[in-house]
Amino acid sequence: MGEMLEVSWESYATQLANAEQETLLTVLKDLVEREAVNMAHNATVFIGRDTRPSSESLAQAVKDGVAALGAHCQDFGLVTTPQLHYLVCCQNTQGSYGDISLDGYYKKLSTAFGKLTHDAPVAQPLLVDGANGIGALQLKAMLPYLKGRLEVKVTKDGSAGKLNHLCGADYVKVQQEAPQGVEMGVGQRCCSFDGDGDRIVYYYNDDEGRFHLLDGDKIATLVSTFIKELLTKAGLDLQMAVVQTAYANGSSTHYLEDTMKTTVRCAKTGVKHLHHEALQFDVGVYFEANGHGTVLFSKEAEEMINQLAKDPSAPEGRRSAAIQLHNTIDLINQTVGDAISDMLLIEAVLAVKGLTIQQWDTIYTDLPNRQLKVKVADRRVIDTTDAERRATSPAGLQEAIDALVRKYRLARSFVRPSGTEDVVRVYAEADTRESADALAHEVSLAVFRLAGGVGEEPKPLH
């Protein structure tokens, strides 16, 4: 359905990637036998690529591999990763999810956006940093479909500058500053895509020139609040939850649980874990703090919403809320996080609710936080539980973290091993910047001493 790879198949991908040339066929035949794959079936593989110089030769290698197995390849050329997910979903739902073309993608999203924002005034122009990647090209191709309902100025559009270099969602999130060379007006709405167009973060400068970042937590809060209000107006009793990771800012969790009375679930880091958890609910909103996420609606939820939207005998207020929900579903790419779709969803919510970016930002105030890395001899000495929020080994580490957290107000800290290198990642938050920095440093010292740190021990941040 265009979603992420079934977890049980990840080991096959690993085996194939690690197979030597002469054993490749054996590994492949073993997979075919174990999964009882009927090789006589007609198979089609959809392929797309981004703007990296290496993409053309990699795409050709995939086509050669598909042809060698006697299957058919359909090449969509330059597309964002989420657009490819969308196209696969359209194909395997026989077109009920949408038309199997980029034109179909643009039309579906722009039509839904137009219907949602029909009665709202057109907002001030939005400045979009396309990370010099494929997202910039595809957003530009989509703009004519929006017919002036949204004014967008695309910068870092790939015409000059390297992919993700001093720009893009990751740069903005980590550096806590605008992309280099981008001039932002006071209070102007700005957002950044990442290189392959699946992540998005928003930001602006206030009257005093201070930079404000609105990350995945802020996006999840805005979107879930909007959907929850519509579900209430429509009188639909559907279970909704927001799925976060341990990296979600504590303020967002408190706001969702205490003010919005929304169910919040914590999943392990990684989109596949969030996606899986979100599937447990009628409506599951998930975003990683880095801006990667989407909203999932169960089949039953979609049917209930569509029935009410089409019911002429339903009370007008309930029916119009259901129509808004129906349009919201059409605007969302449910297969995977999609920067273009998420941007249009955010813009629609702001327009419908009449919110400025500053008003959105003040829904809650982020607790100051700090992330650090500690080099260790072997990352596998760290084991975690409770969605990576507590360490079970090495002995004494969690007790040391608990004792350090108790020294500060509104404090929280956790450690987890990197998935790719011998480092341990440390997260800390507290009521002030100084406290968050001090706590992060003290926890990283504890990791260094108890989990086999290498090199120099961590220095204080100030």
Side-chain angles (χ1 to χ4, degrees):
M1 285 303 139
E3 293 163 346
M4 272 157 293
L5 183 69
E6 179 66 42
V7 177
S8 62
W9 278 65
E10 285 183 7
S11 59
Y12 291 138
T14 306
Q15 285 164 27
L16 285 164
N18 291 328
E20 296 297 337
Q21 187 67 29
E22 55 276 12
T23 58
L24 180 63
L25 271 177
T26 318
V27 176
L28 212 48
K29 282 175 180 164
D30 181 50
L31 191 167
V32 169
E33 274 172 37
R34 268 203 268 172
E35 292 291 333
V37 179
N38 182 350
M39 295 304 282
H41 268 216
N42 285 332
T44 302
V45 175
F46 281 8
I47 184 167
R49 57 184 160 74
D50 62 20
T51 55
R52 290 176 178 87
S54 55
S55 289
E56 277 197 49
S57 58
L58 287 169
Q60 190 55 52
V62 174
K63 287 186 209 170
D64 293 344
V66 171
L69 284 169
H72 171 66
C73 209
Q74 189 165 345
D75 186 357
F76 285 93
L78 288 166
V79 290
T80 66
T81 307
Q83 284 176 328
L84 189 66
H85 286 256
Y86 163 89
L87 292 162
V88 171
C89 187
C90 292
Q91 170 72 21
N92 289 330
T93 54
Q94 285 71 53
S96 75
Y97 190 68
D99 184 43
I100 312 163
S101 66
L102 285 182
D103 181 59
Y105 172 91
Y106 298 137
K107 278 183 178 153
K108 181 181 178 182
L109 266 59
S110 57
T111 303
F113 181 80
K115 286 179 179 172
L116 258 180
T117 59
H118 185 258
D119 298 326
V122 176
Q124 293 295 312
L126 169 70
L127 186 62
V128 181
D129 151 31
N132 288 322
I134 183 66
L137 294 184
Q138 300 307 72
L139 177 58
K140 280 183 152 180
M142 181 169 197
L143 292 180
Y145 290 82
L146 290 167
K147 300 185 175 72
R149 288 294 318 154
L150 177 67
E151 279 189 66
V152 176
K153 181 171 183 277
V154 184
T155 175
K156 307 290 180 186
D157 64 358
S159 54
K162 284 198 313 212
L163 182 78
N164 286 329
H165 182 59
L166 304 176
C167 61
D170 244 11
Y171 174 85
V172 171
K173 169 110 179 105
V174 174
Q175 301 300 325
Q176 300 274 321
E177 64 180 30
Q180 294 230 334
V182 171
E183 292 297 316
M184 302 197 305
V186 171
Q188 183 177 14
R189 285 186 337 290
C190 306
C191 67
S192 286
F193 293 179
D194 69 329
D196 54 3
D198 56 13
R199 296 207 299 260
I200 185 170
V201 294
Y202 269 69
Y203 46 95
Y204 70 97
N205 277 339
D206 66 19
D207 303 348
E208 286 155 21
R210 271 199 311 259
F211 178 84
H212 292 252
L213 176 76
L214 291 86
D215 62 6
D217 298 338
K218 280 261 157 92
I219 296 169
T221 308
L222 178 76
V223 169
S224 60
T225 303
F226 178 69
I227 293 172
K228 183 159 188 179
E229 284 169 358
L230 286 176
L231 288 171
T232 306
K233 278 182 194 160
L236 292 169
D237 184 22
L238 293 170
Q239 257 200 310
M240 186 180 100
V242 175
V243 185
Q244 301 182 319
T245 69
Y247 286 104
N249 196 278
S251 287
S252 70
T253 314
H254 293 311
Y255 175 80
L256 287 164
E257 290 184 329
D258 303 341
T259 309
M260 287 309 299
K261 307 290 183 234
T262 297
T263 304
V264 178
R265 287 278 186 276
C266 188
K268 280 166 71 172
T269 305
V271 182
K272 64 183 180 188
H273 300 298
L274 291 140
H275 193 93
H276 182 74
E277 188 66 36
L279 286 169
Q280 315 300 315
F281 299 88
D282 296 317
V283 184
V285 180
Y286 74 83
F287 275 87
E288 287 196 294
N290 65 19
H292 190 265
T294 188
V295 186
L296 307 180
F297 291 83
S298 69
K299 285 266 185 304
E300 297 74 30
E302 286 197 18
E303 278 163 19
M304 282 173 72
I305 289 164
N306 291 345
Q307 272 177 347
L308 181 56
K310 287 178 186 153
D311 181 2
S313 65
E316 186 49 41
R318 285 188 59 201
R319 189 178 167 208
S320 69
I323 291 169
Q324 286 283 66
L325 281 166
H326 173 76
N327 293 329
T328 302
I329 290 170
D330 274 352
L331 188 51
I332 293 166
N333 185 346
Q334 292 187 57
T335 62
V336 71
D338 180 339
I340 293 176
S341 157
D342 289 337
M343 177 197 86
L344 291 173
L345 177 61
I346 292 161
E347 289 299 313
V349 175
L350 294 176
V352 171
K353 290 173 75 78
L355 291 173
T356 63
I357 191 166
Q358 293 88 335
Q359 288 167 322
W360 169 23
D361 191 25
T362 54
I363 291 176
Y364 65 83
T365 306
D366 274 331
L367 284 166
N369 58 85
R370 174 69 66 191
Q371 293 183 42
L372 297 174
K373 287 196 287 196
V374 182
K375 280 192 176 167
V376 291
D378 181 0
R379 67 180 183 272
R380 290 169 298 187
V381 301
I382 301 265
D383 269 323
T384 64
T385 185
D386 188 24
E388 303 176 312
R389 289 177 289 190
R390 296 189 70 74
T392 50
S393 75
L397 179 58
Q398 188 57 52
E399 291 75 8
I401 294 171
D402 290 343
L404 292 167
V405 165
R406 282 195 290 272
K407 291 166 51 182
Y408 301 97
R409 283 194 65 243
L410 303 176
R412 181 173 76 91
S413 181
F414 67 90
V415 301
R416 55 181 287 272
S418 160
T420 50
E421 51 185 330
D422 280 322
V423 300
V424 176
R425 301 187 187 281
V426 174
Y427 177 92
E429 66 183 29
D431 63 335
T432 65
R433 161 65 50 221
E434 293 69 32
S435 294
D437 286 350
L439 177 59
H441 172 250
E442 288 167 2
V443 170
S444 58
L445 268 182
V447 169
F448 187 87
R449 288 167 186 167
L450 294 168
V454 293
E456 283 186 34
E457 67 171 38
K459 297 266 191 301
L461 293 160
H462 298 295

